[in-house]
Amino acid sequence: MANVAVCVLGSLGYDRAAQGAAGAGRALAESLGGELHVLVIGPAGDEAIAALATVADRVVIGSNEALRDYQPEQALQAAEQLHAAGGGDYVAVLLSNDTYSQEIAPRLAHRLGGSSMADAAAIRMDGDHLLAQRTAYGGKAISIYRLKKQPAVVWLRARGFEPAPEQASPGDVTTVDLALDPPRIRITGREVAAQEGVRLEDAQVIVSGGRGLGGPEPFQELKKLADAIGAEQGASRAACDAGWVPPNWQVGQTGKKVAPELYIAIAISGASQHLLGMGDSKVVAAINTDADAPIFKHCSFGIVEDYKQVVPLLTDKLQAMTG
Amino acid sequence: MKVLVCLKQILDPDVPARDFQIDSAAKAARRGGANLVTNIFCENAVETALQFREAAGGDVKITALCYGESSAEDCLRKAMAMTVDEACLVERDGNTNPDAEAVGRVLAAAIQRLEQDGGPFDAVLVGRESGDWGVGQTGGLLAEELGRPALGFVESLQPGNGSVTLRRQTDVGIEVAEAEPPFLVTITNNEDNVPRIPKTRDVMMSYRKPLQKLSLADLELDSEEIRTGSSIFEVDEIFIPADEVECELAEGDTLDERVDQLARRIHEVVASIG
Ligand SMILES: Cc1cc2nc3c(=O)[nH]c(=O)nc-3n(C[C@H](O)[C@H](O)[C@H](O)COP(=O)(O)OP(=O)(O)OC[C@H]3O[C@@H](n4cnc5c(N)ncnc54)[C@H](O)[C@@H]3O)c2cc1C
């Protein structure tokens, strides 16, 4: 059998990322002539399960009260047991790119005796090996890795994959009870950042600021611009490291991977590691004092000017236009 | 308490894109005139460990460990100049790019060797990923090799009562966790763990601190499999993407005209989204 499994966290539901992971899984399963199974770690809403059943040949839900609240050790143990419950002979186990999936992927691969890989933007089989395409050297290169052991446990740049198509008839849904050990690292508190509007990853328009802003206050100025055009706010690592904005605003290699219709980079130089996070934007605009800044090689239009001069005026004009 | 920090030496990730070249035979970046540096997240890990020691009132011994070429001694010296107590280098032949599994196995064997001699490490800190290949699998695989629980994307460790309090970043906010030693964390950057600049005096002192060298043979891992390090994955292909685009710069005699042009272009796109 040449089946493919997609492993999702029940608490995250069937969001755009899970849809993309399932889409990638279906395409891979088709290329192998096998089935697509979805392994669900912990309880998920009825709606999510129904949606998963429409795209998968089989859905296996791992049930245990402890899984209501994500704990890495227990989620990992659950994934391992679900893998066995689903059949245990998967060519690949695919995950999305939320923090939790990222952290359990390599450990799951190790427990299953497979290969692990991160942040794949494209996958395909070559004989018994899975080939995974991803960026390297902070976005300066593209590499294709050959994963030599099965299962290939890979977390994907999931939103970049087409959602899985609905099947003619829904897949089987089974629930298995899991036995879990108490965790030796226990998450005891969560401070979910106040999120106005949509997630950065799902935003249509983003206004990002960088080190050139010189401090936290100018981000208020950028907020006015963002509000005028219904945009979310992001930042470069330099701005996050300086403590001007929270870390989950960071766009780039080690921040959010965004793909809006419009990305406006203000006082951001365009280092490859930043470009890596926003390179899938449809249109990029830049405001920067330095005409030689690399960002100008990666944007459709821009202005070489001090942001202090541009932003208030631009905000006024856009407010007038959008009325 | 004892803390171990793993370090990786990499090609300077700040090399501008225009100077970046691929060696197609080696399937890796050409070194060119670039420096070798400590991976930034490993330096964030060193800084995090130092702050943990400070918060614990000093009674914490910090060891830095690297699997790398002999040039990686520089990274370990720098860590000791940042006031890490001691270091260990497991020497690797040049010219290889071992996969995360091989690196995990070597680091685990070295950690177990160091623990035989000096007692267990309560915490092992690893950078979340490297600035060169950035595969980010070493921490997780090392945790499994050691059979220890792990948490990713941690930004600080605080001493607690028999346990350690961890703060970590997730894609939706911050999580706080309690960890019973021994455990492993991967470290990410935040505003507080920006690596400190070593003081001149500490740089001098670093040459007097112990730097132990081990070979793969010392760890009974001197096999072709470990040296080539391609049992779970290898690079099949690498290339530089051609993705530069033509940028249209706002023109006009006055600032108002130029900003007006910019506003129109932005409005055009925003209006098309509907
Ligand atoms: C392993 C690794 C991972 C990384 N991950 C990320 C990541 O996820 N995201 C990320 O962003 N970076 C990341 N980086 C860092 C990255 O290499 C750059 O250092 C960072 O993106 C620079 O941020 P910046 O553009 O804001 O600052 P700078 O590069 O300092 O650029 C500031 C820009 O502001 C302009 N400017 C100054 N004053 C003004 C003004 N008054 N008006 C208009 N423009 C002005 C300047 O001309 C300059 O172009 C990573 C690096 C490494 C090594």
Side-chain angles (χ1 to χ4, degrees):
Chain A
M1 286 260 263
N3 296 338
V4 173
V6 169
C7 192
V8 301
L9 284 138
S11 58
L12 301 181
Y14 191 48
D15 63 357
R16 178 64 185 87
Q19 292 166 24
R26 173 57 74 190
L28 196 67
E30 264 171 14
S31 79
L32 288 158
E35 295 183 350
L36 172 66
H37 296 180
V38 177
L39 311 176
V40 187
I41 301 177
D46 292 343
E47 222 172 289
I49 296 299
L52 285 166
T54 64
V55 300
D57 300 303
R58 198 169 163 207
V59 179
V60 188
I61 306 164
S63 154
N64 183 310
E65 267 313 297
L67 295 173
R68 264 186 204 290
D69 228 12
Y70 171 83
Q71 298 291 348
E73 300 305 312
Q74 292 178 325
L76 186 57
Q77 229 184 347
E80 197 182 347
Q81 291 175 26
L82 278 166
H83 177 268
D89 56 354
Y90 298 108
V91 172
V93 178
L94 307 176
L95 298 98
S96 3
N97 49 349
D98 56 276
T99 308
Y100 301 156
S101 297
Q102 290 188 26
E103 88 179 325
I104 62 176
R107 301 182 64 193
L108 180 62
H110 192 278
R111 290 187 186 191
L112 302 177
S115 300
S116 64
M117 188 45 63
D119 201 21
I123 51 171
R124 68 183 166 89
M125 295 304 296
D126 180 34
D128 285 344
H129 296 158
L130 185 135
L131 297 181
Q133 179 171 319
R134 65 191 307 281
T135 51
Y137 293 102
K140 292 182 197 102
I142 306 285
S143 57
I144 298 172
Y145 277 93
R146 176 173 294 276
L147 274 54
K148 298 164 84 171
K149 284 188 180 162
Q150 289 187 3
V153 182
V154 183
W155 65 263
L156 305 166
R157 192 174 289 197
R159 283 178 173 72
F161 291 86
E162 288 296 319
E166 284 190 15
Q167 301 297 292
S169 56
D172 269 6
V173 179
T174 47
T175 300
V176 291
D177 288 320
L178 307 178
L180 305 174
D181 300 327
R184 282 177 294 155
I185 290 184
R186 178 179 288 280
I187 295 169
T188 54
R190 294 197 161 85
E191 304 161 21
V192 173
Q195 179 98 31
E196 297 174 30
V198 297
R199 295 172 63 106
L200 217 44
E201 290 95 326
D202 296 327
Q204 302 259 40
V205 185
I206 296 173
V207 172
S208 272
R211 174 157 33 214
L213 294 179
E217 300 81 14
F219 277 94
Q220 294 304 321
E221 207 52 54
L222 265 52
K223 168 116 180 53
K224 290 184 204 150
L225 170 61
D227 286 345
I229 52 176
E232 302 301 320
Q233 283 190 273
S236 72
R237 173 170 169 166
C240 295
D241 274 1
W244 301 341
V245 293
N248 62 335
W249 285 35
Q250 184 176 319
V251 171
Q253 179 183 358
T254 48
K256 302 277 161 84
K257 312 284 191 302
V258 302
E261 296 293 317
L262 175 64
Y263 186 89
I264 307 180
I266 304 178
I268 290 178
S269 63
S272 64
Q273 294 89 351
H274 186 79
L275 297 172
L276 200 161
M278 41 67 80
D280 292 334
S281 309
K282 289 260 167 56
V283 178
V284 178
I287 302 173
N288 199 305
T289 39
D290 177 8
D292 292 327
I295 191 74
F296 286 119
K297 296 211 162 63
H298 299 271
C299 68
S300 324
F301 53 90
I303 187 164
V304 181
E305 208 87 54
D306 192 326
Y307 81 88
K308 292 189 216 77
Q309 307 286 317
V310 176
V311 172
L313 193 55
L314 181 64
T315 306
D316 285 349
K317 287 181 187 288
L318 283 165
Q319 273 166 351
M321 285 176 191
T322 48
Chain B
M1 284 189 108
K2 291 188 64 196
V3 172
L4 180 121
V5 185
C6 297
L7 299 180
K8 183 182 183 186
Q9 186 178 49
I10 62 168
L11 198 68
D12 188 352
D14 290 337
V15 170
R18 61 173 181 278
D19 297 335
F20 182 82
Q21 289 183 339
I22 298 287
D23 177 340
S24 42
K27 292 185 184 170
R30 203 183 285 284
R31 167 139 183 219
N35 292 324
L36 297 173
V37 299
T38 308
N39 177 38
I40 179 66
F41 293 112
C42 302
E43 289 203 327
N44 293 133
V46 170
E47 180 61 38
T48 305
L50 297 172
Q51 290 181 17
F52 174 72
R53 182 174 68 191
E54 286 153 14
D59 192 19
V60 174
K61 185 170 190 184
I62 306 173
T63 307
L65 169 66
C66 176
Y67 175 39
E69 293 173 52
S70 53
S71 58
E73 226 183 287
D74 294 346
C75 300
L76 294 169
R77 287 283 171 215
K78 182 169 179 209
M80 289 192 288
M82 287 171 75
T83 71
V84 160
D85 299 293
E86 57 176 29
C88 173
L89 176 66
V90 182
E91 284 179 293
R92 165 165 75 70
D93 295 344
N95 242 345
T96 57
N97 174 27
D99 68 13
E101 168 133 311
V103 176
R105 285 180 62 188
V106 171
L107 292 175
I111 288 169
Q112 279 152 355
R113 166 63 59 88
L114 294 171
E115 290 184 331
Q116 267 171 23
D117 301 339
F121 292 107
D122 299 280
V124 173
L125 278 59
V126 184
R128 60 175 280 177
E129 66 185 66
S130 63
D132 53 0
W133 294 98
V135 179
Q137 304 297 287
T138 304
L141 295 177
L142 176 57
E144 289 302 305
E145 289 290 335
L146 293 168
R148 294 181 194 176
L151 194 71
F153 313 103
V154 169
E155 56 176 34
S156 81
L157 283 74
Q158 292 292 328
N161 215 341
S163 69
V164 175
T165 305
L166 310 172
R167 247 180 97 83
R168 66 107 160 230
Q169 294 172 17
T170 72
D171 41 15
V172 292
I174 296 290
E175 287 178 344
V176 178
E178 290 298 318
E180 289 167 40
F183 61 85
L184 180 145
V185 289
T186 75
I187 298 289
T188 194
N189 62 299
N190 83 340
E191 57 179 296
D192 295 321
N193 66 11
V194 176
R196 66 190 64 187
I197 312 279
K199 300 196 181 90
T200 315
R201 182 174 158 277
D202 292 329
V203 174
M204 313 276 281
M205 286 295 291
S206 73
Y207 287 90
R208 283 193 231 147
K209 291 183 175 173
L211 194 159
Q212 182 181 359
K213 288 188 186 166
L214 295 173
S215 67
L216 290 178
D218 294 333
L219 299 173
E220 287 164 34
L221 282 175
D222 192 13
S223 67
E224 192 54 31
E225 187 192 352
I226 292 287
R227 253 182 278 114
T228 4
S230 58
S231 65
I232 63 164
F233 59 71
E234 66 190 17
V235 179
D236 209 53
E237 218 182 297
I238 178 164
F239 55 92
I240 296 176
D243 64 352
E244 291 192 0
V245 293
E246 206 54 56
C247 172
E248 184 191 315
L249 289 179
E251 283 173 13
D253 295 336
T254 65
L255 176 71
D256 192 77
E257 276 173 34
R258 293 193 294 276
V259 175
D260 204 62
Q261 229 182 66
L262 183 67
R264 276 173 205 292
R265 293 297 307 267
I266 290 174
H267 183 250
E268 225 170 78
V269 182
V270 173
S272 76
I273 300 169

